[in-house]
Amino acid sequence: VIPAPNDGRFELRIAGFEKYEQIEIYNSGGSLVSKRAITGPSTRYDISALGSGVYVVRISGKTHSAATRIVRY
């Protein structure tokens, strides 16, 4: 995730993106706030309309998944 922390606008770079199908973003309460299909190795995202805080970005596919946290200031 670039940059980190960010203002809600960031780029997600996914190594081996072919293994993954979707990106999900969850707020600190565990609620899904955004979901999108993965279309390439780099995706720009904008969650600036959401409040400041910590969010979890989860990428998943049929056999692989990964997650990271982002801080939106």
Side-chain angles (χ1 to χ4, degrees):
V1 177
I2 301 167
N6 60 65
D7 64 357
R9 291 180 290 265
F10 59 92
E11 182 178 354
L12 184 62
R13 294 182 183 169
I14 306 166
F17 79 95
E18 303 88 359
K19 298 182 278 190
Y20 303 100
E21 297 171 356
Q22 66 184 3
I23 302 167
E24 298 170 326
I25 299 181
Y26 295 88
N27 64 18
S28 59
S31 297
L32 179 66
V33 296
S34 183
K35 184 175 180 179
R36 181 188 297 180
I38 294 174
T39 58
S42 180
T43 302
R44 292 189 185 271
Y45 232 97
D46 187 346
I47 59 167
S48 60
L50 301 175
S52 298
V54 177
Y55 292 85
V56 173
V57 177
R58 181 174 182 266
I59 58 173
S60 61
K62 289 184 173 127
T63 59
H64 293 81
S65 67
T68 190
R69 284 181 281 199
I70 60 169
V71 177
R72 190 238 183 269
Y73 56 80

